[in-house]
Amino acid sequence: AAAEAEVRLLLQEARESIEAARSYRRELQQRLRGLHQAREQIKESATLTRDVLEQHFSDLKGTLKKLLDERLMSLLQEVDVIEQESIKPLDECQKLIEHGVSTADDLLREGESAVDGDVGTQNEKLCNFTKKALHIQLDSLPEVPSLVDVPCLSAQLDDCLLNLLKNQIFRHGTVASRPPVQLEEFVEKPGGILVRWCKVDDDFIPQDYRLQYRKSTAGHFEDVYVGSETEFIVLHIDPNVDYQFRVCARGDGRQEWSPWSVPQIGRTTLVPHEWTAGLEGYSLSSRRNIALRNDSQSCGVLYSKAPTYFCGQTLTFRQVIFGIETVGQPDRRDSLGVCVEQRNGYDSLQRDKAVCISTNGAVFVNGKEMTNQLPAVTSGSTVTFDMEVVQLGLCSNEGGNFKLRVTISSNNREVVFDWVLDQCCGSLYFGCSFSYPGWKVLVF
């Protein structure tokens, strides 16, 4: 018996050692994968950095050559203009002198002929020659400019430009191994992802951030946000699809952007919120996330396509945000809110099993107006619903008390109240109702 017990103990220890070895091997393999990913990140980022540097300096060379060629052409044209303008009066003076020389030659031949002519005609020839010589004014000579008065072109080239460019080029560009900002968190939203980032370099003072994203299968990143905030909701995200995100920053007073953060993958499993199509009185956008109250006389409540506003596993969730882009004429029946179920035949959400806010800021719970009131909904307003589930008593198929702690916010003010229902609600509909045209509501 003692021997068997000893064998069992040895077997147990052996099994534990085997399991420990397996765990150790898994941990080592995981660390190897981490090393491989780190090595790939270094190689990929180095390759991308080389490509960016080569392309940038190639573009600089082309631009500098173009600018130098343009400057050279401008200076050569300036030389041509000065040359033409300076030579023109000299050409005119030359023509005048050449004409004078030709006239003098003719006069000399005529004078020599008169002097050497026959005695009978000599008197007349000499008289004509003398009159012609007096008419020509042989003592009048054209003015010829001296060399000191004539332009002498030269090129003035300052060698300090080369030194200046050399110093600027030697300081142009840097290679950073660590970006000053990194992605911090991804939060799933219906049809979107809330992306948060943070500054990781204490010495870096950011002025603006730049967020880009792409589908994992796409070829290039595209800008989705540029601004001073450190979070942004990226909409029009397909559910259950991986997206890559990256962020960079621009330092205070600087024009160039910092290196990109390490790209990270985010996704959402939540389907986007959509309004129900086909209700007369409302026109929808192509994605059905924008509803416009048109000029139809028909009125009623426009509900969501499905109860997509639901409690998460954390028991805390935020209702859709209504961004009012345009505003029509208000009416006391106008409403924005959530409800347990769709009910046709009503012209407002101010009814049982619904909570809502009217366009004048009044808050209604199960059709009853609260004493607390929020600011009126105006152009550019944003209304948010936050709900935390608080269960009272037992919840079963036969029903039971069910409490939702609701927070409605509008224009930096909020009201908090408890909404008690007689049934469990894992998900809720949202809806809106407007009596007059012009209201345009974006839900996300």
Side-chain angles (χ1 to χ4, degrees), residues 213-228:
Y213 83 126
R214 70 177 180 183
K215 278 189 176 182
S216 293
T217 56
H220 64 281
F221 285 90
E222 59 181 88
D223 287 339
V224 69
Y225 172 77
V226 175
S228 59

Side-chain angles (χ1 to χ4, degrees), residues 396-420:
S396 63
N397 294 333
E398 289 76 19
N401 291 331
F402 193 72
K403 181 190 292 186
L404 295 175
R405 184 153 298 155
V406 182
T407 302
I408 304 178
S409 304
S410 176
N411 292 334
N412 297 322
R413 289 183 57 187
E414 64 181 29
V415 294
V416 182
F417 57 91
D418 288 341
W419 181 24
V420 179

Side-chain angles (χ1 to χ4, degrees), residues 122-250:
Q122 188 177 23
N123 188 32
E124 182 180 357
K125 288 183 177 181
L126 289 172
C127 184
N128 291 336
F129 171 74
T130 304
K131 290 181 180 180
K132 189 173 184 179
L134 292 174
H135 178 73
I136 292 177
Q137 297 180 350
L138 295 176
D139 59 345
S140 177
L141 296 173
E143 184 72 21
V144 176
S146 62
L147 292 179
V148 296
D149 296 328
V150 176
C152 182
L153 280 71
S154 63
Q156 304 300 313
L157 301 174
D158 192 351
D159 292 337
C160 71
L161 175 62
L162 183 58
N163 293 328
L164 179 64
L165 288 176
K166 185 187 298 182
N167 293 332
Q168 291 293 331
I169 289 173
F170 286 160
R171 291 198 302 265
H172 180 68
T174 57
V175 176
S177 60
R178 296 184 182 275
V181 291
Q182 290 286 1
L183 295 169
E184 183 180 31
E185 184 182 16
F186 297 103
V187 180
E188 293 186 52
K189 295 292 180 181
I193 300 175
L194 173 62
V195 184
R196 292 193 176 103
W197 54 89
C198 63
K199 184 171 70 76
V200 295
D201 185 352
D202 294 335
D203 297 329
F204 183 78
I205 302 176
Q207 175 179 308
D208 292 307
Y209 297 98
R210 181 181 179 188
L211 177 67
Q212 290 188 337
Y213 83 126
R214 70 177 180 183
K215 278 189 176 182
S216 293
T217 56
H220 64 281
F221 285 90
E222 59 181 88
D223 287 339
V224 69
Y225 172 77
V226 175
S228 59
E229 300 296 329
T230 57
E231 65 178 36
F232 183 75
I233 297 179
V234 183
L235 298 176
H236 311 319
I237 296 293
D238 296 330
N240 302 308
V241 174
D242 288 340
Y243 287 81
Q244 279 191 333
F245 295 86
R246 66 181 185 181
V247 66
C248 65
R250 181 162 50 195

